[in-house]
Amino acid sequence: MGASKVDIYSAEINDMATIAKVFAHPARVAILQYISKQEGCICNDIVDEIGLSQPTISQHLKVINEAGLLKGNFVGKSICYCLNINRFQEFQELFNSFFNKTKSNCC
Amino acid sequence: MGASKVDIYSAEINDMATIAKVFAHPARVAILQYISKQEGCICNDIVDEIGLSQPTISQHLKVINEAGLLKGNFVGKSICYCLNINRFQEFQELFNSFFNKTKSNCC
DNA sequence: TTTTATCATCGTAATATTGCAATATTACAT
DNA sequence: ATGTAATATTGCAATATTACGATGATAAAA
């Protein structure tokens, strides 16, 4: 196989897994941290900062973006990637809600 | 490829990704939720509850266990799985620390 | 217009993950 | 000891992910 049986779980559970997947690769964690550290949201030195090729970084950015975590502003020929904090906060709340719900009625 | 270049990231970043991977599959999220819901930590009807085969569930349990999230008590020939709340709480704190750090100094 | 820089996409190789059938192991009961 | 129920392990097929080189697309600069 290799494909998850998505249809047998509730939407809530699938959402949780989908969101977690974004953070389930160190490159994406590193990208998110790096972007957030930049004042004024500087562009693609991400490739230089992290040790991966430009296409690979671009691919990871796509995953992060599809999760709604990016805002991209064009500045000349570069793109300024910026964290979508609202969405990020949403994720944090979802995680906490999952954690709290799961541990609360535990044995 | 298919293999992550783990050696180019800090331990903190790799830890974050490793932990997230546990929650990055709906079966594992479902298993955790189910286990936590049971009063007194009941045994392996997880297979019936979720719609996957016994070997598959066993495999997912192994992943969860290797992350330190399970306590297993033998009760006759069955095993009572129980959430390791301390570890679970640890994970929650790690996530929150990552979220807070990342969003705090953002553009 | 041509060049140059930045980023996305395509194609592809290597590896990982998911899921299950078959089998092994474990632990109790008889 | 033998049988049986519960769980783990193995082996394999299908699919997903990761990474990169090559190629495109776009927009400023020359």
Side-chain angles (χ1 to χ4, degrees):
Chain A
M1 293 271 156
S4 307
K5 283 190 157 185
V6 172
D7 46 312
I8 64 174
Y9 310 101
S10 71
E12 189 204 352
I13 285 178
N14 278 319
D15 283 354
M16 183 66 203
T18 302
I19 291 170
K21 231 173 259 179
V22 176
F23 304 101
H25 193 288
R28 292 195 285 270
V29 176
I31 289 172
L32 284 166
Q33 270 191 358
Y34 180 68
I35 286 178
S36 82
K37 250 183 282 178
Q38 299 312 101
E39 310 267 342
C41 104
I42 292 187
C43 317
N44 225 14
D45 1 55
I46 308 178
V47 175
D48 298 329
E49 175 70 15
I50 304 173
L52 294 172
S53 71
Q54 181 266 318
T56 303
I57 294 291
S58 194
Q59 209 170 237
H60 282 301
L61 279 169
K62 193 180 177 187
V63 174
I64 300 174
N65 188 45
E66 278 168 355
L69 283 177
L70 287 185
K71 288 178 180 174
N73 305 339
F74 283 88
V75 175
K77 46 194 165 186
S78 312
I79 297 185
C80 262
Y81 286 110
C82 187
L83 196 64
N84 180 348
I85 304 198
N86 287 343
R87 184 76 168 145
F88 197 66
Q89 183 112 26
E90 230 178 277
F91 278 17
Q92 177 171 20
E93 279 155 18
L94 251 157
F95 264 109
N96 273 319
S97 144
F98 166 74
F99 274 110
N100 290 332
K101 204 187 308 174
T102 302
K103 80 184 174 199
S104 66
N105 42 7
C106 182
C107 51
Chain B
M1 294 270 155
S4 307
K5 284 188 156 185
V6 171
D7 46 311
I8 64 175
Y9 310 101
S10 71
E12 191 204 351
I13 285 178
N14 279 320
D15 283 354
M16 183 66 202
T18 303
I19 291 171
K21 230 173 261 179
V22 176
F23 304 102
H25 193 288
R28 292 194 285 269
V29 176
I31 288 172
L32 284 166
Q33 271 192 358
Y34 181 67
I35 287 178
S36 81
K37 248 183 282 179
Q38 300 312 103
E39 310 268 340
C41 114
I42 292 184
C43 313
N44 220 15
D45 5 53
I46 308 177
V47 175
D48 299 327
E49 175 69 15
I50 303 172
L52 294 172
S53 72
Q54 181 267 322
T56 303
I57 294 291
S58 191
Q59 211 170 236
H60 282 302
L61 279 169
K62 193 181 177 186
V63 174
I64 299 174
N65 188 44
E66 278 168 356
L69 283 178
L70 288 185
K71 289 179 179 172
N73 304 340
F74 284 87
V75 175
K77 45 196 164 186
S78 311
I79 296 184
C80 264
Y81 285 111
C82 187
L83 197 64
N84 180 347
I85 303 198
N86 286 344
R87 183 77 168 145
F88 197 66
Q89 184 112 24
E90 229 178 277
F91 278 16
Q92 179 171 19
E93 278 155 19
L94 251 158
F95 264 108
N96 273 320
S97 143
F98 166 74
F99 273 109
N100 290 332
K101 204 187 309 175
T102 302
K103 80 185 174 199
S104 65
N105 44 7
C106 182
C107 53

